[in-house]
Structure formats: C-alpha cells, structure tokens
C-alpha cells in the first residue's frame, strides 16, 4: 500500500491547499466533472449535517486522496449527502492503492453506504449490490445537434413539446427563460411546487426535512467554477410556470429538483424547460446534462445515453456490519424487487398516489 497517514477533518477545516489538491485530482479523473464530487458540495453539507467529515489520505506531505462521508449513529458511515447527492465516492490520485478496512477504521465507521457511486470508483465498486442507470443528455456538439438527435429518436416527443411551447406562449403570455435566476422568491416557489408534487404522488417530501432546505439555500449562494447553484426558470408573461434547481460545473449540469405549476400542466412546461436548459447549457460550454437515476418518461424522451451508478456498502467485520445490514438491506431488497417488476412498480405508484389523496381528504 503506497499511502501514508490518514487525517480526518470537518469539511470546513480543510486548508486551501487541500481544497486545490482535491480539485486537481478531480480534474485528472476520467469521470465527468460532476459538481456533487467537488469540495464545495461537501462544505455545504458540512454546514447542515454535523456528522459530515473528510478523510484526507497523504503520501508524504502531499494529499493523495479524499473521502467525503457522514458518520451516523452507532458509527455507521455513508456517502456525503446520501439521499440527495447524485454522484458519490472517493477522490483519489490515479493508481493510488488503498485498503478499505484501514480507511474505514481511520474514519471511525463500521460501514460506508452509497447509492449513486460513480462507475470509475474502483475502490468501492466491487462492494456494490446493484447497478442503476443515470440518464444523460449530450450537448457537447451544440444544441442544434442534440435537437437533430431528438428528431431522429423521439420525433413525436419533440414535435409535440415544441407545439405546446408555442401554445403556452400564445395563451399564457410571452415566454422568457432565465438560465441562472438569482431571485430568491423564484427558489421558494420551486420548493413549494416540489413539496406539493411529493405529497400529490405519495412520496416523502424532501423539503419537509430542514437540512435539505438549508442545503439547497446554501448551494443557491455557492458560486465556484466547478460547483455553482443554478436556478433555471421558465416564465409565461411575468409568471413562473416551471423551474429547476441544480448544480453545474464547467462541463456538467447536474439536474436535481425540477417542478412546474400544475395549472399549466397541459402545456408540459417542465419538458419545455428542459429543452431550454439544454440549449442554454450548450451555449455556455456545458457538454453534459445529468438527469439522475430513476426511470421516468421524460428522461427516456430527453436522454441521449445512460451511465452506470452503483448502490451498496462496504463494511468492516463486526457488530457494525450487522447493524448496517439490518438497517438498510431489507428495505433495499424490497425496493429492488418492486423496481425489477414493471407491473408491480406501476401498482405501487398508483397505491402511493391513492394514499396521498386519502391523506388530503
């Protein structure tokens, strides 16, 4: 093993030299420059999650790797921002050899759980229990090229969406798209729409969790070259009809929280918004939109490809490993069973919506 000492620190305790080394290692990676893997995202999580930590692996005086993670109850560890982060793993010098047991001991955790592990994470991929697809939109060659791809693979979708966009402009007012909106009221509106959507579909309202709301607010104020909060809004007249908050680097827009005003649902404003986001991203030098994992019709219509991400955990022998299994594996296996059976998944979705309607009555 070529590594030396391992230092564990809070995200805010890293020195500027360590943060620069983190960015340099990330730039040398073969993976897309996803902003969830940048130090600014970890620092933002550290502002709202007291268990956030970073393990810094040294070779002599020089940092050779970083593992951002959270230490939970009873010493269980998990990827930083697990549950909302769409890219996870360690940031390591190419070729660095590490022993996972030693790394976990240094972090004082019995396990390290992940659900959106990057494919290039050789250190952890072998511990994955499941592989998932994250859907991506390639706009590297410009928006016109992307639109021509859509005309070929999804001609009905593109024609219908553009027609709805024109009708929305005629009936709702002149359309205006802002790629990087700085108006705080627009972000609050998006959160309200998204919370209502979660409740309407019977899903857990993420914005009912204070730490997620605070994290989004923190990231909305973050303006770093490789991790910048980006709020995109589609207006009809002066009224917002669809919005999205995500993170961008110089080359990747990580799509995160999209929502729209249900009053305008017949115009599919969310789809129109995504097309305008792709157009603006391409014009700004971004080559990839990451729509995240989880099957959805709109992702199938918009995507140009898929990338693998992994779910699972590495554990150390002992009671901690057993606690991790008991706390996560039964639920994970149940979800996997349902997802792998489309008819059952459809029934589950309808049941969730029905339960949500009952709660509202």
């Amino acid at each position: 093993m070529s590594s030396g000492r391992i230092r564990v620190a809070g995200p805010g305790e890293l020195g500027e030299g360590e943060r620069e080394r983190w960015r340099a290692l990330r730039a040398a990676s073969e993976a897309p420059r996803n902003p969830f893997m940048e130090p600014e995202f970890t620092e933002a999580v550290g502002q709202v999650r007291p268990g956030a930590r970073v393990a810094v692996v040294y070779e002599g005086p020089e940092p050779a790797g970083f593992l951002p993670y959270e230490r939970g109850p009873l010493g269980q560890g998990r990827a930083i921002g697990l549950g909302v982060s769409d890219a996870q793993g360690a940031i390591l010098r190419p070729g660095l050899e590490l022993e996972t047991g030693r790394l976990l001991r240094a972090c004082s955790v019995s396990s390290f759980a992940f659900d959106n592990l990057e494919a290039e994470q050789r250190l952890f991929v072998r511990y994955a229990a499941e592989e998932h697809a994250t859907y991506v939109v390639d706009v590297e060659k410009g928006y016109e090229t992307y639109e021509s791809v859509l005309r070929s693979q999804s001609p009905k979708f593109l024609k219908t969406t553009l027609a709805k966009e024109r009708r929305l402009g005629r009936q709702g007012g002149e359309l205006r798209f802002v790629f990087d909106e700085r108006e705080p009221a627009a972000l609050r509106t998006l959160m309200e729409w998204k919370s209502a959507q979660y409740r309407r579909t019977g899903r857990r309202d993420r914005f009912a969790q204070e730490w997620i709301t605070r994290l989004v607010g923190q990231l909305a104020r973050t303006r770093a070259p490789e991790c910048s909060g980006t709020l995109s809004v589609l207006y009809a007249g002066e009224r917002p009809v669809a919005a999205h908050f995500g993170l961008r680097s110089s080359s990747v827009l990580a799509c995160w929280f999209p929502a729209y005003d249900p009053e305008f649902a017949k115009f599919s404003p969310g789809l129109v918004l995504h097309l305008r986001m792709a157009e603006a991203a391409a014009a700004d030098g971004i080559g990839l939109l990451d729509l995240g994992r989880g099957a959805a019709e709109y992702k199938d219509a918009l995507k140009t490809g898929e990338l693998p991400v992994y779910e699972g955990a590495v554990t150390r022998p002992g009671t901690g490993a057993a606690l991790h299994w008991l706390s996560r594996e039964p639920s994970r296996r149940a979800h996997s069973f349902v997802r792998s059976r489309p008819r059952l998944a459809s029934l589950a979705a309808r049941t969730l919506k029905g339960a949500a309607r009952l709660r509202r009555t």
Side-chain angles (χ1 to χ4, degrees):
M1 183 166 57
S2 62
S3 60
R5 68 186 178 95
I6 300 174
R7 180 176 78 93
V8 173
E13 298 170 350
L14 297 180
E16 185 54 37
E18 290 172 317
R19 291 193 293 270
E20 283 301 317
R21 178 61 174 160
W22 180 327
R23 297 182 188 105
L25 290 173
R26 190 61 192 166
S29 170
E30 295 179 357
R33 193 77 187 261
N34 195 299
F36 285 104
M37 295 293 288
E38 297 296 321
E40 289 79 13
F41 177 73
T42 291
E43 289 168 8
V45 175
Q47 294 289 321
V48 300
R49 300 284 284 178
R53 300 287 186 273
V54 179
V56 186
V57 181
Y58 287 87
E59 288 182 314
E62 183 82 356
F66 302 85
L67 177 66
Y69 69 99
E70 294 181 48
R71 188 178 188 276
L74 305 176
Q76 295 181 64
R78 62 186 205 169
I80 196 80
L82 186 82
V84 294
S85 58
D86 285 349
Q88 301 158 358
I91 298 87
L92 304 176
R93 175 185 64 74
L96 179 68
E97 296 295 330
L98 275 175
E99 198 274 310
T100 54
R102 177 174 178 253
L103 180 59
L104 265 57
R105 282 194 298 274
C107 295
S108 299
V109 296
S110 58
S111 57
F112 176 73
F114 48 84
D115 61 3
N116 277 284
L117 186 75
E118 288 184 326
E120 291 76 10
Q121 295 282 330
R122 292 190 305 113
L123 183 63
F124 298 122
V125 163
R126 63 182 180 272
Y127 299 103
E130 291 186 75
E131 177 180 319
H132 303 281
T134 185
Y135 302 89
V136 296
V137 174
D138 184 349
V139 291
E140 184 71 36
K141 296 180 180 178
Y143 179 75
E144 289 184 0
T145 299
Y146 169 57
E147 203 173 78
S148 69
V149 171
L150 288 182
R151 284 197 177 92
S152 174
Q153 70 180 28
S154 307
K156 183 179 179 181
F157 159 76
L158 182 61
K159 182 179 179 180
T160 301
T161 303
L162 293 177
K164 288 181 177 180
E165 181 179 28
R166 292 190 293 270
R167 288 202 300 274
L168 175 58
R170 289 194 299 268
Q171 298 182 34
E174 183 179 359
L175 297 185
R176 178 170 60 93
F177 172 75
V178 180
F179 183 46
D180 189 9
E181 176 64 90
R182 304 296 179 91
E183 174 54 57
L187 182 59
R188 290 194 295 270
T189 297
L190 168 61
M191 290 182 177
E192 290 169 3
W193 286 343
K194 198 66 181 177
S195 287
Q197 178 190 339
Y198 287 135
R199 295 192 298 270
R200 193 166 59 245
T201 56
R203 287 169 169 78
R204 176 172 54 90
D205 180 3
R206 288 182 171 180
F207 289 117
Q209 300 181 69
E210 183 186 2
W211 76 270
I212 295 179
T213 299
R214 290 175 57 206
L215 176 63
V216 168
Q218 185 80 15
L219 289 166
R221 298 186 293 273
T222 300
R223 291 289 182 270
E226 300 301 336
C227 183
S228 181
T230 304
L231 174 65
S232 300
V233 184
L234 179 68
Y235 293 92
E238 294 303 312
R239 182 173 178 177
V241 294
H244 165 268
F245 180 77
L247 301 177
R248 64 158 294 180
S249 68
S250 58
S251 56
V252 175
L253 175 61
C255 301
W256 206 10
F257 292 110
Y260 61 87
D261 186 340
E263 185 176 329
F264 293 87
K266 66 180 180 180
F267 300 106
S268 300
L271 293 176
V272 175
L273 174 75
H274 276 81
L275 289 180
R276 296 306 136 234
M277 283 166 52
E279 183 178 31
D284 210 25
I286 292 172
L288 192 74
L289 280 71
D290 186 339
L291 302 175
R293 61 169 269 199
E297 287 186 14
Y298 82 94
K299 294 181 183 181
D300 281 333
L302 291 164
K303 73 177 183 180
T304 58
E306 301 175 2
L307 296 174
V309 292
Y310 297 92
E311 180 177 354
V314 53
T315 61
R316 286 197 288 142
T319 57
L323 286 170
H324 167 81
W325 196 97
L326 289 170
S327 65
R328 295 189 63 88
E329 280 301 300
S331 174
R332 186 194 64 75
R333 293 188 180 193
H335 280 90
S336 177
F337 181 84
V338 172
R339 284 196 305 266
S340 64
R341 292 160 175 79
R343 291 181 63 185
L344 190 57
S346 177
L347 175 61
R350 291 197 300 272
T351 301
L352 284 172
K353 290 181 181 179
R357 284 194 295 271
L358 286 174
R359 285 197 297 269
R360 293 197 298 271
T361 60

